[in-house]
Each structure stands twice: as C-alpha cells, then as structure tokens.
Amino acid sequence: MRRQMRIARRLTIKCAPAVVALTGLLAFAGCETFGSIAAGVGVATGTLDRSEAQAVRDSATAVSRSFEDFTPEQEYYIGRSVGATILDQYETYDAEAVNRYLNKLGQSLALASDRPELFAGYRFQVLDSQELNAFATPSGLVFVTRGMLNLAESEAEVAAILAHEIGHIEHKHGLKAIRASRINTALTSVALTSVQVASDSEIAELTETFEGTINDITSSLVNSGYSRGAEREADRTAVKILRRVGYDPYALRRVLEGMQAAWSPDGPGYAQTHPSPQDRIDDVEDEIPDDATRDTTAPPARRERYQAAMGGV
Amino acid sequence: MKRLLACAVLFAALALADGAAQSELSIQVREAEMRSNPSYLSGIVTTLSYGDRVRVLEEGSGWYRVSFEGDTGWVHNSAVTEERIVLEGGQEDVETGATDTEVALAGRGFNEEVESRYQSEQGLDYSKIDEIEASYDFSREELAEFMQSGGLEIGQGGER
C-alpha cells in the first residue's frame, strides 16, 4: 500500500512539467514537426485523450518488433510457463543439498555474466532423469538432469554446464526461437497497447499468442534444439564466465568430451537437442588453452563441498 | 518571423527536455540494489523497485552511477532500461497507458491474467515453479562468501 502511494505520488510529480510542455506545444501548433514528439510526451504522462492515444497506438503498431522488445517482465511470464511445460514432462529431484549447492554456484556464475540481473533472478533445479540434458527458460530458471550432473567430475565442470545455460539466457536464445509474426502480434496486441482495461476477448486472443510463444520455445528447447551458432555463443559465454571467476575453462571441454563419449545421433535428450559435442568442441577450442598448460589444483574446500553436495546424486 | 522564433525557442526547449529524458533510466527488474561502488561486493545504499526512474550521473564499465530520491550509488546496466516503464497503480493510471517505442506498460501483455488463463486451458501445474522461485534466494553477500571460500572471485557483471 505504501509502495502504491509512492508510485502514485511520483506519477503525479512527473505529470506536471509535461503538461506545461504540452500546453506549449499546442500553442505553437504551427510547428508540425513536433507532432509525433508531442504525442509521445502526452501519452507517457497521461495528458492525451482516447482518440489521440489511438493515433499513437496506430503509429506504434506500424513499427516492426523483435525479440529484443520483450521486457524482462514479459520474459518472466514466458519463462514461468516454459518452466511449467518442462515440469509437465520431467520430475524434479528435490534433494536439498544438491539444489542449494547448485543455486549458490549458479547464482554466483550469473553475477559474472553480462546479464546478472533478471526480473526475478536466476534459479537452478535438478531434474530426476538420467538423460544428458539441461534447459534454460528466458526467465532465468535453469534445469539440469541428474544424468548431466553425474557426467561432471568436479565443481568446475558443473560450473561449465550452468555457465553454458546462463549463456543461453544472456543471448536470449529462447526468445529468438519465437516466430517473428508472433512477436509482432504479442507486442502490438490490443490488450498490450490499449488505454482501456483489456476485454475478455482481447485476453483470449493474447492467451492464444502466448500459447504459440510457449510452444515455439519449448519445442526448440525439448525437440529441435538450438542451432550450432547459438550453442557456440553459449559455450563462448561459458568460457568467459568461468575465466572471470577463476575456474579452469578446460572444464567445459571435459564436459563436452564426456558428452561426446555418450553421444548417439538418435539418443534421447542432449543428442537430439544440440549439435554434436564434437562440433561444439571444434567451435570453442581456440578459446580454451591446451590441456598441458592448465593448473588443475582446486582448493580442498571446493573439492569437499562438491563431494558433499553431489554425493547422493 | 515571430512564428519562426517561437519554433526556434521550442526547438531549444525540446532539445533540453530530450537531453534530460536521456539521462534518466527505469528499473526493469523487480528489485535492484543500489551499491556504493560498481561492484557486487560493495555496500547496499538502497533497494530500487520496478519502474523507479533514476537519474544518470556517470557511466562506468557495465554500471551506471545514479541518483534516486536523495540516494546516490551504482546499478548494473542489466537492471535498467531507457524505456519509461508505466506502472498501473489503479484505474486512473490504466487510462493514461499507451505504448510507443519509449514507453512500456508494466503488467500488460503477457501477465498474470494471461498466465492463469493459459494454465487452466493447458491444465498445467505452476506450484513447483512458485516453490522454486521462492527458494534459495541467496544474498550477494552469501554468494561472495561461497565464491571466496572456494578460492574464486565474485563476478562484477560484464558489459552488455
């Protein structure tokens, strides 16, 4: 309630200078070049009537939208539903020790990414599956299977898996999977731009677009997989993050080698959803120093906490 | 001539207004911590909320030094947007809403209402998603402790 009042107060304060500006604009209506600017100012601060707002809306819909135009709040709602859809197909593995550890590790890695702040932050959850797989939703929810975690042999390798998923979020790969026509509909729909509270039919229409959006993303995550280019971007981001915090980036290569050994082109999970691990190694090799030059010693505290958390998985 | 002068004055006024608008940013995440230095290790000055408009004082690598209601500190650039985010506090605010490329309406588009309709149409269960969101919300200090005890460095966010 107090917060609402604070918002209301600020909105009121913001309006005052704009009203003055708009009055000025109307007085000098001869300067037609200012028409579009005036509309923008007025709408943003609540001084336009409905027909004028409609005009602004029409001009807004003429602009082609891209995945970049989704706000973090929209990403949040998209991601929640992508997550719920994934959990419709996978059981969670809720052992406290490993999920707590994964969240501390993953949230720390996210702070070293170029996108440390999301609408509601990053969360990490183990899935009870022996597939080699991991998924990142646009909202910052990262799922990793037990099979994938078991492939890792150190904290740095778990970090490599999580950092790769953070890479997908940083590059908005989930949103890029949404069909362009749908993005336009989603971001210019009546329910989004109307000055009125959306009607039931408008909400129904928007929900249909939402459904298509969730389907585009989940089918890309679960069935078709990201392109080789997207995987390369996520792997390169993973190396960058590992380096920034001080993990051996070779850990990513170790994970990819382990996946390659288990890989079959028609196998379940990762095999279907990604380019081959060998392709990925080839694409990121120049970023990772040669095996012989690396320092493999991890402090005892790091090894101990890894063992304690992963022991039962 | 008079009219030309008026236009010129207006041009100047708008240029100034435009300059002022560009030096303001909106918080685009639910909560963002304003810090005393451009680092997740530095102290929290205050916590900013979704839609808060902050004034830009300085731009560093990946961070902005900003001021808000008398407080001054740093926020990471992933927490802010150049768009004005219009919060819909009540019916009157809803009436003011519209969108162009510079204005985003909070709570519009894909929102709770759409989610709940989608949920019932699909028969999906969101309780686990809610539970995951509510769990393991570690503070930056806890994460710093985790990294330091593992002989690692706390991330400072990169540049976007």
Side-chain angles (χ1 to χ4, degrees), chain A residues 95-110:
Chain A
E96 152 113 22
V98 63
N99 282 293
R100 171 173 292 275
Y101 175 73
L102 225 55
N103 273 281
K104 275 196 177 169
L105 178 56
Q107 289 174 32
S108 297
L109 294 166

Side-chain angles (χ1 to χ4, degrees), chain A residues 5 18 34 39-40 94 101 120 139 163-164 166 173 178 191 238 248 283:
Chain A
M5 281 169 64
F34 298 126
D94 291 327
Y101 175 73
S139 60
H164 172 87
I166 292 166
H173 289 149
I178 307 169
D248 177 7
D283 286 349

Side-chain angles (χ1 to χ4, degrees), chain B residues 16-35:
Chain B
L16 278 174
D18 196 40
Q22 278 177 359
S23 67
E24 280 198 344
L25 298 168
S26 299
I27 300 298
Q28 61 170 352
V29 295
R30 205 177 254 166
E31 279 192 348
E33 286 153 356
M34 184 198 276
R35 294 188 171 265

Side-chain angles (χ1 to χ4, degrees), chain A residues 39-63:
Chain A
V41 171
V43 169
T45 51
T47 51
L48 290 193
D49 70 24
R50 225 163 272 161
S51 66
E52 286 165 318
Q54 176 66 46
V56 171
R57 192 156 76 233
D58 290 345
S59 71
T61 52
V63 179

Side-chain angles (χ1 to χ4, degrees), chain A residues 96 100-109 111 122-123 155 247 305, chain B residues 33 35 40-44 134-155:
Chain A
E96 152 113 22
R100 171 173 292 275
Y101 175 73
L102 225 55
N103 273 281
K104 275 196 177 169
L105 178 56
Q107 289 174 32
S108 297
L109 294 166
L111 285 188
Y122 288 82
R123 289 292 185 281
E155 181 172 295
Y247 286 111
R305 72 186 182 192
Chain B
E33 286 153 356
R35 294 188 171 265
Y40 284 117
L41 279 178
S42 71
I44 299 169
S135 311
Y136 306 121
D137 184 10
F138 295 113
S139 70
R140 302 283 149 84
E141 288 63 35
E142 286 173 298
L143 299 179
E145 200 278 323
F146 176 82
M147 293 307 267
Q148 277 155 358
S149 68
L152 300 155
E153 293 191 27
I154 186 80

Side-chain angles (χ1 to χ4, degrees), chain A residues 10 31 74 81 111 123 305, chain B residues 7 52 108 126 135 146 157:
Chain A
R10 279 213 306 283
C31 312
Q74 304 275 296
S81 287
L111 285 188
R123 289 292 185 281
R305 72 186 182 192
Chain B
C7 278
D52 281 350
R108 281 299 180 92
Y126 284 64
S135 311
F146 176 82

Side-chain angles (χ1 to χ4, degrees), chain A residues 3 10 14 31 43 73-74 76 80-81 94 107 111 113-114 117 119 123 193-195 245 302 305, chain B residues 7 40 50 52 84 94 97-99 108 115 126 128 130 133 135-136 146 150 153 157-160:
Chain A
R3 157 117 189 104
R10 279 213 306 283
K14 266 192 318 218
C31 312
V43 169
E73 185 189 12
Q74 304 275 296
Y76 169 72
R80 276 174 57 83
S81 287
D94 291 327
Q107 289 174 32
L111 285 188
S113 76
D114 290 354
E117 317 235 9
F119 189 73
R123 289 292 185 281
T193 59
S194 175
V195 291
V245 298
R302 203 197 297 176
R305 72 186 182 192
Chain B
C7 278
Y40 284 117
Y50 190 39
D52 281 350
R84 179 184 292 275
V94 172
T99 184
R108 281 299 180 92
E115 178 187 290
Y126 284 64
K128 188 66 200 177
D130 293 336
E133 273 180 22
S135 311
Y136 306 121
F146 176 82
E153 293 191 27
E159 291 183 64
R160 293 183 69 208

Side-chain angles (χ1 to χ4, degrees), chain A residues 147 175 224:
Chain A
L175 299 181
S224 61

